[in-house]
Amino acid sequence: MWAGVRQRFRRFHEVLNLSKDQIDDGLVKQLGVRKSLHRAYYGDSTDEPLGFIVGSWGKGTAVAPPSDVDIFFELPVDVYHRIQTYQGNKQSALLQEVRGHLLSTYSQTNMRGDGQVVIVGFNTITVEVVPAFRYDANGRFYMPDTNDGGRWKLVDPQAEIAYIDAADRNSSGNVRPMAQMLKTWKRHCNVPLKSYQIELLVAEFMQNYLYRHHDHFYYDWFIRDFLAWLCNKAWANLTIPGTLALINLGDAWLSRAQTAHDRAIRACDDEYNDYTISAGEEWQKIFGHHIPIQVL
C-alpha cells in the first residue's frame, strides 16, 4: 500500500525548489538595487549595503520559477522627518522618491510605486523594494502604505522569518516544503489567500500535527489534513509575529479549499490502493503539472 506516495511528493518538492541559477540571479539583482539606494541615501558605495531579503526568499519558502524577490531597505531617520513635512499622501511621495533614485541607475527598467513597495521590473525577476524606517532596536520598522490616503505600517519582518524557522524545526523540516506546495495550489487554482497567510497557516497547523515528524511518505495525509483544518478557518484571525497585528482571513478562498480537500480525500484513497495514476490525476487537479502523475 501507498507505493507511490514518497516518490511522488519527493519529486514534487524537488521541482519546487529554486535552481542555483535562479538563486544567483535573484541575489545579484537585489544586491544591485540595495547598492543603488545606499549610494543615494548614504552617499557612499559599498559591497555590503544596508537592507535585507524578506518575504518568501527570506523565509525559505520561495517556489520555482520565482516571480520576485522582496527586500527591505532602511532609510535614514532624517528622511522620515522630511517626508512628514509633506502635504498629501506622504507614503506615496516616499515611494516616488525611491523610484526616482533607482531610475538614475536603472533608466531602462520598468519601475513603479505600488501600494507598499517600489517594483523594479527586471527581465528575469522583479525586485520589490520596501523603503523602511527603523522603529526600535527590536527589529521593528515603519513601512509606507499608500492606500486610503496613506499611513505608516508597523512591521517586524525578522520575527516572521524566525516564526517560520521555529515551526519548521519543530516539525522536522516539513513546514517549508508544505508551504511551497500549498503556494503552488494557490497559484494553480487562483486561491485568494496571500503567500504570507499560507506560510503562517501552515506553521500554525504543523506545530501540533500528529504526523509532523514524518517524511514524504506522509505528505498525502499532510495535504488532506491541512485542507480539512483550513476549511474551518473561515473568518478566523491570523496573528502577525512581532507586531501581533490581526489579519482576518475572510472566506473568499473557502470554496476552493473545500474542493481541494475533496480531491485530496480521493487522491489519498487511491494512494492507499496503489492506484498511482488515478491518484496523480487527482493531485494534479490541486497542484498542476508540477506534481507527477506517474511515479513507478
Side-chain angles (χ1 to χ4, degrees):
M1 294 181 292
W2 297 295
V5 174
R6 181 179 279 114
Q7 185 179 352
R8 189 191 313 280
F9 280 91
R10 181 184 293 127
R11 285 169 55 185
F12 183 26
H13 183 202
E14 289 171 352
V15 166
L16 299 183
N17 288 326
L18 304 186
S19 69
K20 183 179 183 303
D21 287 345
Q22 289 168 338
I23 293 171
D24 289 346
D25 183 46
L27 292 179
V28 167
K29 295 293 196 307
Q30 64 83 28
L31 181 61
V33 168
R34 286 164 50 211
K35 285 182 176 180
S36 174
L37 290 177
H38 195 101
R39 287 193 302 271
Y41 283 101
Y42 293 92
D44 64 317
S45 297
T46 176
D47 290 331
E48 297 182 356
L50 289 175
F52 52 92
I53 297 173
V54 295
S56 62
W57 281 61
K59 297 169 188 167
T61 61
V63 174
S67 58
D68 55 56
V69 54
D70 303 306
I71 61 173
F72 262 55
F73 184 81
E74 182 180 348
L75 296 172
V77 67
D78 63 284
V79 175
Y80 172 81
H81 294 300
R82 172 169 56 80
I83 293 292
Q84 282 293 84
T85 67
Y86 291 7
Q87 299 297 313
N89 194 317
K90 301 172 177 61
Q91 293 73 23
S92 179
L94 176 63
L95 293 186
Q96 294 309 313
E97 178 179 298
V98 169
R99 175 181 177 273
H101 286 310
L102 288 171
L103 279 171
S104 67
T105 303
Y106 303 106
S107 59
Q108 302 301 311
T109 302
N110 183 31
M111 202 176 303
R112 71 183 192 277
D114 185 17
Q116 301 173 341
V117 300
V118 176
I119 298 175
V120 187
F122 295 110
N123 289 334
T124 54
I125 193 168
T126 295
V127 177
E128 297 195 358
V129 186
V130 178
F133 301 101
R134 186 170 292 276
Y135 178 79
D136 59 24
N138 297 321
R140 294 187 294 178
F141 290 84
Y142 267 150
M143 63 176 284
D145 182 352
T146 65
N147 296 306
D148 300 322
R151 66 185 181 110
W152 300 110
K153 183 178 177 182
L154 185 65
V155 291
D156 192 341
Q158 297 296 350
E160 295 181 33
I161 292 172
Y163 178 74
I164 298 299
D165 191 52
D168 195 54
R169 290 195 309 271
N170 184 56
S171 305
S172 297
N174 286 316
V175 164
R176 288 188 170 99
M178 276 283 286
Q180 289 175 298
M181 292 176 187
L182 287 154
K183 288 200 284 186
T184 303
W185 164 58
K186 161 187 162 62
R187 182 183 294 177
H188 178 67
C189 294
N190 194 29
V191 181
L193 283 169
K194 295 183 179 179
S195 289
Y196 81 89
Q197 293 173 334
I198 289 176
E199 292 159 352
L200 292 175
L201 285 163
V202 169
E204 181 183 345
F205 169 76
M206 290 295 290
Q207 297 216 44
N208 296 304
Y209 182 50
L210 178 62
Y211 304 113
R212 66 185 181 277
H213 295 299
H214 291 286
D215 67 3
H216 292 101
F217 185 60
Y218 275 75
Y219 267 57
D220 58 336
W221 286 9
F222 282 16
I223 298 298
R224 179 199 63 191
D225 296 347
F226 172 82
L227 289 168
W229 176 85
L230 178 62
C231 288
N232 292 312
K233 299 294 281 186
W235 297 105
N237 287 323
L238 275 180
T239 301
I240 306 301
T243 64
L244 304 182
L246 297 179
I247 304 295
N248 192 274
L249 293 172
D251 70 348
W253 47 270
L254 180 58
S255 63
R256 289 175 173 84
Q258 292 168 332
T259 298
H261 179 238
D262 291 341
R263 289 170 173 164
I265 290 173
R266 291 194 291 271
C268 286
D269 289 343
D270 288 342
E271 297 284 19
Y272 173 82
N273 291 300
D274 291 336
Y275 302 149
T276 57
I277 291 178
S278 177
E281 290 171 346
E282 289 297 331
W283 290 124
Q284 284 206 343
K285 293 174 185 176
I286 300 173
F287 298 115
H289 68 276
H290 292 294
I291 191 166
I293 289 180
Q294 292 183 310
V295 292
L296 299 175

